[in-house]
Amino acid sequence: MKFLAITLIAYDHSKSTTQRFREVVENAVLAEELGFDGFGVGERHERPFISSSPPVVLSHIAARTSRIRLFTAVTTLSLLDPVRAYEDYATLDHLSEGRLELIIGKGNGAAQAQLFHVTAEDQWDRNREGYELFRRLWREDKVTWEGRFRPSLTEAETWPRPLQQPIRVWHGSATSKESVDLAARYGDPLFSANVTNPIEPYAELIDYYRERWAHHGHDPADALIGAGSAGYYAARTSQEAVETYRPIYEARLETFRRYGLPPVFPTLEDAIERSSILVGSPQQIIDKIHRYHERFGHEVMHLHADADGLTDKQHRAALELFQGEIAPALRKEIPSRPFPEGLS
């Protein structure tokens, strides 16, 4: 199994914006030091997030690291001009020396309609069209194209040409079959959000992905799946882990209430039992990831890169425990294909 650390760069004014960005970069450096396979930066365009420009943040991380793969989580192609997105990410591909991977999706949040005039009625069509053009721009030196949502192209050249040919693009999936269909059609990997709900809705989408994968003529053995997690804290005993994480989880519930969102898991104990949150002893977390793997068959998973209310010392200790005891067992017990290698 492979492991990513991912951040959406939530911002709560406890630090300055500059300090928060610096913290993200330092967490990426720490992730590489500890042995994570990848580091991801999300894209959001509304409070409480300041992650509106992943290629800029990832470019800085690329300069501070040398081995770790760099992910977008997700690139919201429904909002972006595919030509401009191509230019940004082809540039980042070179700056990272071929360590870039994309996770794409249509995005979410009410601000999308206000800022970009993307609506619930057209967001999936925009995502599909944007990806299909982006895919051609990455692979073809000159592109002639016509679509609904941007001006047409005639023998258009885009520069710089990318370093990786092709780049691996994952499709982020949370609740809808549209992204799953798109991934299966093009033979691309799927990354299940696996954060908000119990396991079954995500498992059903993954099952659907495998069905559509075969329908489009792809070898079932080639399907590749990643999955998220809803939080992480490991300690030597489950009692210590729960005691430390309880105020963090209760603060999360309070945030839900403030934004008018009913919690799916009203207590930490319920979340540990029914959600993908990973709180407990190393062996408990290993066992829980195995249970999810039995249902998903995933080879890649992510943890939250941020301290999420932990002290810096607690955060680092938990990540060290993950890479020292949890990850080695899972790497051994759950085979996974190698990631593409950058040029460094």
Side-chain angles (χ1 to χ4, degrees):
M1 183 167 268
K2 300 287 190 298
F3 302 99
L4 316 181
I6 286 181
T7 179
L8 296 179
I9 321 185
Y11 177 61
D12 63 3
H13 299 279
S14 63
K15 302 179 175 70
S16 72
T17 301
T18 302
Q19 289 171 324
R20 184 68 181 99
F21 280 126
R22 185 181 301 125
E23 182 179 59
V24 169
V25 174
E26 293 304 326
N27 281 338
V29 173
L30 175 63
E32 178 172 271
E33 174 190 333
L34 295 179
F36 280 87
D37 300 284
F39 189 90
V41 174
E43 181 179 333
R44 294 290 182 91
H45 296 274
E46 62 186 340
R47 296 181 182 182
F49 308 102
I50 54 172
S51 52
S52 58
S53 187
V56 176
V57 179
L58 288 170
S59 291
H60 192 57
I61 291 171
R64 292 286 309 278
T65 59
S66 61
R67 301 181 308 279
I68 198 167
R69 302 261 330 150
L70 305 177
F71 285 73
T72 63
V74 300
T75 294
T76 52
L77 279 180
S78 63
L79 312 182
L80 306 176
D81 180 344
V83 174
R84 194 70 186 95
Y86 164 81
E87 292 171 336
D88 284 343
Y89 286 114
T91 300
L92 177 52
D93 192 33
H94 285 278
L95 292 174
S96 66
E97 298 185 304
R99 290 186 283 139
L100 177 64
E101 302 200 23
L102 301 183
I103 306 175
I104 69 162
K106 56 88 179 169
N108 56 33
Q112 294 188 172
Q114 179 183 3
L115 294 175
F116 298 97
H117 291 193
V118 173
T119 67
E121 289 72 34
D122 66 18
Q123 60 186 355
W124 287 111
D125 288 337
R126 288 178 179 273
N127 184 66
R128 175 191 51 75
E129 180 178 292
Y131 176 58
E132 289 171 349
L133 177 54
F134 182 93
R135 180 183 176 89
R136 287 190 60 193
L137 293 168
W138 199 278
R139 287 164 169 77
E140 301 174 28
D141 292 337
K142 294 183 178 181
V143 172
T144 297
W145 173 90
E146 186 172 348
R148 290 176 54 198
F149 301 108
R150 79 165 319 277
S152 62
L153 301 173
T154 303
E155 289 292 289
E157 294 182 306
T158 44
W159 297 93
R161 299 310 301 152
L163 180 58
Q164 297 182 84
Q165 192 59 271
I167 192 172
R168 185 159 68 177
V169 178
W170 303 68
H171 295 249
S173 164
T175 59
S176 177
K177 291 183 176 180
E178 280 86 348
S179 56
V180 174
D181 272 318
L182 192 63
R185 183 188 316 165
Y186 285 102
D188 294 330
L190 184 75
F191 212 106
S192 172
N194 190 39
V195 169
T196 307
N197 296 303
I199 190 172
E200 199 52 40
Y202 303 114
E204 290 173 358
L205 284 174
I206 290 171
D207 290 343
Y208 179 72
Y209 169 69
R210 294 186 188 278
E211 292 171 8
R212 298 304 295 169
W213 180 275
H215 170 81
H216 288 291
H218 306 301
D219 185 342
D222 292 337
L224 178 60
I225 295 161
S229 61
Y232 162 73
Y233 183 68
R236 287 297 171 190
T237 66
S238 61
Q239 293 84 354
E240 179 187 350
V242 169
E243 180 180 347
T244 300
Y245 203 79
R246 185 179 303 282
I248 295 168
Y249 191 77
E250 290 176 351
R252 184 184 301 181
L253 294 176
E254 178 57 34
T255 300
F256 289 159
R257 285 189 286 269
R258 191 163 62 248
Y259 283 91
L261 302 172
V264 178
F265 310 103
T267 67
L268 177 56
E269 284 74 14
D270 185 39
I272 292 172
E273 176 66 25
R274 296 194 303 121
S275 85
S276 63
I277 201 167
L278 302 172
V279 175
S281 68
Q283 190 58 54
Q284 286 174 315
I285 290 173
I286 290 168
D287 292 343
K288 185 168 187 176
I289 293 172
H290 270 289
R291 291 199 301 274
Y292 270 78
H293 178 262
E294 288 173 4
R295 192 66 182 84
F296 291 170
H298 59 306
E299 300 178 27
V300 181
M301 66 165 291
H302 82 57
L303 300 182
H304 290 206
D306 299 315
D308 194 28
L310 298 167
T311 66
D312 289 344
K313 183 178 180 180
Q314 289 170 331
H315 181 223
R316 183 179 183 112
L319 293 179
E320 288 176 342
L321 189 56
F322 186 88
Q323 288 294 350
E325 297 187 17
I326 299 169
L330 293 167
R331 291 184 196 277
K332 180 180 179 181
E333 296 163 2
I334 301 176
S336 58
R337 284 157 278 193
F339 276 2
E341 293 186 5
L343 300 185
S344 58

